[in-house]
Amino acid sequence: MGNFEKLSGQDNLKNIFVNAASWIALVLLLVVCVIVRPEFRNPQTLLMIAKQVTIVGIIALGMTFVIAGGGIDLSVGSLFAFSGVSALLVLKDLQEAGMALAWSEGGVFLIVTVVALLVGALGGALNGLLVAVCKIPPFIATLGTLSIFRSLALHFAESGTLPLRNVINGTATPGISELAAPMIGKYEVTAVVFVVLTAICWVLMKYTAFGRHVCAVGANEKVAKFAGINTGTVKLLTYTLTGLLVGAGVVLFLGQLESVPNNAGNLYELDAIAAVVIGGTAMSGGKANVWGTLAGALILGLIFAFLNFTGTAPALKGLVQGVIILLSVLIQGFAFMLNRKRA
């Protein structure tokens, strides 16, 4: 009995360490950055990094559910661009139609938010239907929608930058100043939203039946079916949730830039996947670490900021990103083999 209790205590400590590994890595990386580069000693630099990773981090939260459920979503960057373009085009059409709400600052915020969330959720649902109903492998399904969403975004934006502040009849559209406000106290608005959404997703994953079903489907879909879980519905909801979070990222993006450039969302899918993997969510499915995803996004932000401060060529960002993803997956595989051998 004593040996069993001792073994259980060791397992609990191991689980705590595994779940906190990304945060430990983040702290160590931050210490190194502060020692090596004086720029990181300025709190404004750290706030800027937090602000820069927020949008990709929010998308990564949705990707955490998809990957934990045994899937993958390569279309999030293209869906991001399509949602942003759709929101601005709908706003412009409503303004041209003479709707008074579309000319007020609060109205602009409301319309952009509703359209971006709706288009994002519908795009995610389309991915879910292709995977869950049509039985298309997630990689193939989202690779196809990646091309579709990006093509539609470029077509409707006429391959250019679509501004929020359109001028119609000599009157300029108001911006979204409540989202563009630089600070709330000492914290960036977007960073606060990121943390709040992370907490919501953590509760959803850890304390709801949906979260448990996601991990069950990712661990073994056949066993989940035998347990009475509607695996198709779970997959559909994970992709829809991801699309909804893509839409939330679009709103924050427009609050910062008030435009949708033609390269909006480019390679966001790789950034999101990297943040999820670094955070400790298993690429094979069945295990999720939502707070780890937040840490993973911050780690990426620190690394890219360090590269910028050291004058590293921007073209090498992809190299570093790829190496990080591969190393994270290799470490996960090594840990899995050790656990299996021990069992």
Side-chain angles (χ1 to χ4, degrees):
M1 188 69 172
N3 291 334
F4 177 76
E5 291 177 350
K6 182 178 180 181
L7 183 61
S8 298
Q10 291 175 347
D11 289 340
N12 289 334
L13 289 175
K14 180 182 177 182
N15 290 332
I16 292 173
F17 176 79
V18 169
N19 291 330
S22 56
W23 287 98
I24 296 173
L26 174 62
V27 172
L28 293 176
L29 179 61
L30 180 58
V31 170
V32 172
C33 290
V34 169
I35 294 174
V36 175
R37 299 296 305 185
E39 295 90 346
F40 289 96
R41 300 165 198 167
N42 185 352
Q44 292 300 321
T45 299
L46 301 180
L47 285 173
M48 183 58 64
I49 292 173
K51 180 179 179 181
Q52 289 174 344
V53 304
T54 290
I55 294 170
V56 169
I58 289 173
I59 296 173
L61 293 175
M63 189 73 76
T64 302
F65 283 83
V66 171
I67 291 178
I72 195 74
D73 191 345
L74 302 179
S75 69
V76 290
S78 298
L79 181 57
F80 181 91
F82 181 56
S83 298
V85 169
S86 299
L88 296 189
L89 288 178
V90 169
L91 175 65
K92 182 177 180 181
D93 289 342
L94 293 177
Q95 291 172 340
E96 291 177 341
M99 178 180 287
L101 182 65
W103 288 103
S104 65
E105 194 170 80
V108 169
F109 171 63
L110 177 64
I111 293 169
V112 167
T113 300
V114 171
V115 176
L117 293 176
L118 180 61
V119 174
L122 290 175
L126 174 61
N127 288 329
L129 289 173
L130 292 173
V131 172
V133 178
C134 301
K135 306 298 181 183
I136 301 175
F139 182 89
I140 302 300
T142 57
L143 184 63
T145 53
L146 176 153
S147 298
I148 292 171
F149 294 145
R150 179 63 66 180
S151 178
L152 289 174
L154 291 174
H155 171 72
F156 289 119
E158 298 179 352
S159 299
T161 298
L162 196 62
L164 172 62
R165 293 182 180 273
N166 296 302
V167 178
I168 300 176
N169 297 327
T171 305
T173 303
I176 312 177
S177 61
E178 52 261 66
L179 286 180
M183 302 287 284
I184 290 181
K186 295 183 179 180
Y187 301 96
E188 292 284 351
V189 176
T190 52
V192 173
V193 173
F194 185 19
V195 173
V196 171
L197 288 177
T198 302
I200 293 173
C201 289
W202 174 71
V203 171
L204 190 61
M205 179 67 78
K206 188 173 179 64
Y207 294 106
T208 67
F210 170 66
R212 293 190 293 271
H213 290 172
V214 168
C215 291
V217 172
N220 193 316
E221 186 174 349
K222 290 184 178 180
V223 172
K225 285 182 178 179
F226 289 138
I229 297 174
N230 190 329
T231 58
T233 300
V234 171
K235 291 180 181 179
L236 175 62
L237 290 176
T238 58
Y239 283 98
T240 303
L241 175 62
T242 302
L244 193 66
L245 289 170
V246 167
V250 168
V251 177
L252 295 175
F253 182 84
L254 289 172
Q256 294 176 13
L257 298 185
E258 299 198 345
S259 66
V260 179
N262 56 8
N263 64 342
N266 189 35
L267 298 180
Y268 275 15
E269 56 276 0
L270 292 183
D271 291 336
I273 292 171
V276 173
V277 175
I278 294 171
T281 296
M283 280 297 293
S284 57
K287 177 188 175 185
N289 190 336
V290 176
W291 285 109
T293 297
L294 188 153
L298 292 174
I299 288 173
L300 284 177
L302 279 175
I303 291 174
F304 294 147
F306 183 84
L307 293 176
N308 290 333
F309 289 138
T310 55
T312 305
L316 293 178
K317 174 185 175 183
L319 170 66
V320 175
Q321 191 175 45
V323 170
I324 291 172
I325 294 175
L326 291 175
L327 285 176
S328 299
V329 174
L330 285 174
I331 292 171
Q332 285 184 6
F334 183 69
F336 174 77
M337 286 190 293
L338 286 180
N339 289 335
R340 186 175 180 180
K341 183 178 180 180
R342 182 183 179 187

